[in-house]
Amino acid sequence: LVRVAIADSGIGIWDSFRLNDSPHLLRIRSHLDAVQVALEPKVSSTDHLGFGWGQSVNAGVGLTLLKNLSVLMKGSFVLASQSGICSLAQAFELPDNSKLNGTLCPMSFQRSRLSQFADLLYMAKQQVGLISTDDDFPEMFE
Amino acid sequence: MNERISIASEFGQFCADGGQASTFRLARLELLLSTCDKLILDFDGVRNMNSSFANALVAPLAALYPDLQNQLVFANCNQSVRVLLIAAVQLGNSRNRDVVT
């Protein structure tokens, strides 16, 4: 197995939705809700901010992409933020006295699948709608 | 008038900082797109890029400039960079449609 983990000590996912006054807050009542909403494709705490005049350029697909990639690579995936934890198999809330300060995302991939990594990454991107085959703008490339 | 910018000269061979890309877009690219006929972003020497960088660099331009496809050119992209730039243009176009509708 190849194991990778990304962690931060920030405010966590729920507070990030709160900080940006996200409309997704209507669906969030717990840290677990926040983690599960964050794993939906094209959801981010800033996706309601039009980037034509603001700063948001977040497609909201990074976490979903990693989760799908972990499945395609026959590995594992966990997203934990404060007391909310979601893996490929289960989702649950930790007791308050053992919550994580920040966000943690450990994942693993089968080493035997590494040779297919580029193709599987492309497939995962298609699954989350990051890449469409409708138009690849050939006129923009030289 | 055409303008060519080397992305590797600005950001190196690994482009991964969306904040830097956003600042660069606002400070340089939007101005150039308003003043030159064709803007060429040359990715020669860029080995890899993440989607945050590509989206910050390109997606807002696609949302702001409806004629972007005739004004902006990506040169010397490797396959992984090309895929991310296509996705960024698609993201910008979809946001543009969202604003219009």
Side-chain angles (χ1 to χ4, degrees):
Chain A
L1 280 180
V2 176
R3 292 189 174 92
V4 182
I6 304 154
D8 69 38
S9 56
I11 59 176
I13 293 172
W14 193 5
D15 278 354
S16 181
F17 280 113
R18 284 188 183 122
L19 184 70
N20 291 291
D21 199 19
S22 165
H24 297 295
L25 279 170
L26 294 172
R27 299 190 288 140
I28 299 173
R29 293 287 177 270
S30 67
H31 288 294
L32 179 56
D33 287 346
V35 166
Q36 290 178 311
V37 168
L39 283 171
E40 294 175 8
K42 300 198 173 179
V43 167
S44 84
S45 63
T46 58
D47 60 13
H48 58 299
L49 304 174
F51 58 34
W53 293 269
Q55 298 299 312
S56 174
V57 287
N58 192 337
V61 297
L63 292 170
T64 325
L65 180 66
L66 291 176
K67 182 182 172 189
N68 290 12
L69 184 62
S70 300
V71 173
L72 292 170
M73 296 285 284
K74 304 285 184 193
S76 63
F77 174 89
V78 174
L79 179 63
S81 178
Q82 304 290 340
S83 58
I85 295 186
C86 191
S87 71
L88 294 177
Q90 57 184 333
F92 58 94
E93 190 100 23
L94 285 171
D96 262 358
N97 60 1
S98 57
K99 70 179 185 183
L100 174 77
N101 287 321
T103 300
L104 171 68
C105 183
M107 68 203 98
S108 67
F109 304 139
Q110 288 288 340
R111 190 176 287 272
S112 61
R113 293 229 149 190
L114 283 181
S115 60
Q116 304 168 58
F117 186 85
D119 290 340
L120 295 175
L121 179 61
Y122 190 85
M123 195 183 299
K125 286 177 178 176
Q126 284 184 313
Q127 286 175 350
V128 300
L130 188 60
I131 296 171
S132 157
T133 52
D134 293 348
D135 194 349
D136 55 4
F137 313 108
E139 70 279 14
M140 294 186 79
F141 290 87
E142 69 173 29
Chain B
M1 182 188 71
N2 292 352
E3 189 78 31
R4 179 177 284 263
I5 293 178
S6 166
I7 298 299
S9 299
E10 299 285 343
F11 300 99
Q13 57 183 335
F14 297 106
C15 299
D17 189 326
Q20 278 186 356
S22 187
T23 302
F24 185 73
R25 185 195 77 244
L26 289 165
R28 298 276 304 278
L29 301 189
E30 292 190 12
L31 180 65
L32 286 170
L33 280 169
S34 302
T35 55
C36 66
D37 299 319
K38 191 151 283 207
L39 175 59
I40 301 158
L41 300 183
D42 191 338
F43 290 84
D44 185 35
V46 175
R47 291 182 61 190
N48 214 340
M49 179 188 291
N50 64 16
S51 57
S52 294
F53 184 94
N55 289 344
L57 191 73
V58 173
L61 300 178
L64 280 172
Y65 296 87
D67 196 35
L68 188 74
Q69 286 157 245
N70 295 318
Q71 215 183 344
L72 185 64
V73 173
F74 305 119
N76 301 310
C77 305
N78 67 31
Q79 190 54 31
S80 61
V81 167
R82 183 180 179 123
V83 164
L84 288 168
L85 292 173
I86 290 169
V89 175
Q90 288 177 348
L91 174 66
N93 284 347
S94 69
R95 293 284 179 96
N96 192 31
R97 279 196 300 274
D98 291 345
V99 170
V100 170
T101 56

